[in-house]
Amino acid sequence: MDHDDDRDGMDGGKDEWEVLGLEKRIDLENLKRVFERLDLNKDGKIDVEELQAMYEDLGYKPRKQTEYGVSEVEDVIWEVDEDANGYIDWENFVQLYMRCRKDKSGKEPTRMYNLIEFMVCDKDGGGTMSEDECMEILFHRFGKEQMKEMTDKLFKHNTDEAEKEFSYTEFLQLVDDKNGILGQAA
């Protein structure tokens, strides 16, 4: 599938973002930008080496072996790879994003989703996201009330007037559903 085409004539002239179930055109643009950043060799798929390279660029050190006997990167690919071909294509990528975005049960695998969310907010590719961008993610995931509670926890120790920047590793420590600050609050 060529994900650069914004129209899909088979769905009554709807824009691609509407067909995919996204809320806004900007969501599609953000997903395309992140997918293209991850797809280093521009072949329309994200493989183990490309995902590993992005993790390294972000300073994240995935486990060399999980409880399933494969590397964490291979495990992340497996969670997303619906057609079991060993890579994440555009369709897998969007499906995962939409499943996680709509998930109210907390049972969807979130490792790739967390990376996508972080990269959407890291617009310049510098490897950090701002406090405001982090709050936007919290709002979308947890709603206004829980976002306020969580941000109070997160930023109560920040007496510095400058806005806090989060690295990918710090972001994961916040959103980890078992050990992170946000996971404990949810």
Side-chain angles (χ1 to χ4, degrees):
M1 176 182 162
D2 179 7
H3 62 269
D4 291 330
D5 185 11
D6 267 355
R7 291 253 175 220
D8 184 352
M10 301 198 14
D11 288 295
K14 285 185 176 181
D15 284 333
E16 183 181 3
W17 63 273
E18 294 171 301
V19 172
L20 293 171
L22 297 167
E23 294 175 22
K24 299 175 239 157
R25 179 180 305 278
I26 191 74
D27 294 333
L28 176 63
E29 292 166 9
N30 285 333
L31 287 179
K32 284 182 178 181
R33 178 175 46 81
V34 169
F35 188 86
E36 289 166 5
R37 275 184 61 201
L38 287 164
D39 181 17
L40 298 174
N41 64 10
K42 307 301 177 211
D43 62 355
K45 52 192 175 194
I46 302 162
D47 60 31
V48 170
E49 291 78 21
E50 291 168 317
L51 187 55
Q52 179 72 39
M54 182 54 66
Y55 280 143
E56 288 171 9
D57 285 351
L58 293 172
Y60 177 69
K61 294 179 180 23
R63 292 176 290 158
K64 294 197 184 308
Q65 187 170 357
T66 67
E67 59 273 19
Y68 304 111
V70 297
S71 73
E72 183 176 356
V73 175
E74 290 170 304
D75 201 29
V76 169
I77 298 268
W78 177 84
E79 288 175 346
V80 180
D81 181 17
E82 291 294 322
D83 42 13
N85 54 16
Y87 56 82
I88 302 169
D89 59 24
W90 174 245
E91 288 81 14
N92 296 154
F93 189 78
V94 174
Q95 284 173 350
L96 165 86
Y97 181 81
M98 291 306 299
R99 281 195 330 256
C100 288
R101 188 82 186 246
K102 293 177 178 180
D103 181 33
K104 301 294 182 219
S105 71
K107 295 187 181 351
E108 286 293 337
T110 58
R111 290 181 293 183
M112 187 69 187
Y113 180 68
N114 288 336
L115 179 62
I116 294 168
E117 289 272 86
F118 182 84
M119 291 178 70
V120 163
C121 290
D122 179 21
K123 291 177 178 61
D124 65 357
T128 60
M129 76 161 51
S130 73
E131 190 175 309
D132 285 344
E133 292 164 333
C134 184
M135 288 172 56
E136 183 179 332
I137 290 173
L138 298 179
F139 177 78
H140 283 296
R141 283 196 189 183
F142 300 106
K144 185 178 178 180
E145 290 304 312
Q146 277 192 298
M147 180 201 73
K148 177 160 177 24
E149 211 174 287
M150 291 177 203
T151 53
D152 288 348
K153 263 190 201 181
L154 288 174
F155 306 120
K156 71 179 177 186
H157 302 297
N158 187 15
T159 56
D160 187 1
E161 288 298 312
E163 185 172 329
K164 169 82 172 130
E165 291 283 320
F166 293 94
S167 70
Y168 181 62
T169 303
E170 290 171 320
F171 174 69
L172 288 179
Q173 290 168 350
L174 299 176
V175 298
D176 182 286
D177 60 350
K178 294 175 185 68
N179 305 311
I181 294 171
L182 305 186
Q184 295 168 2

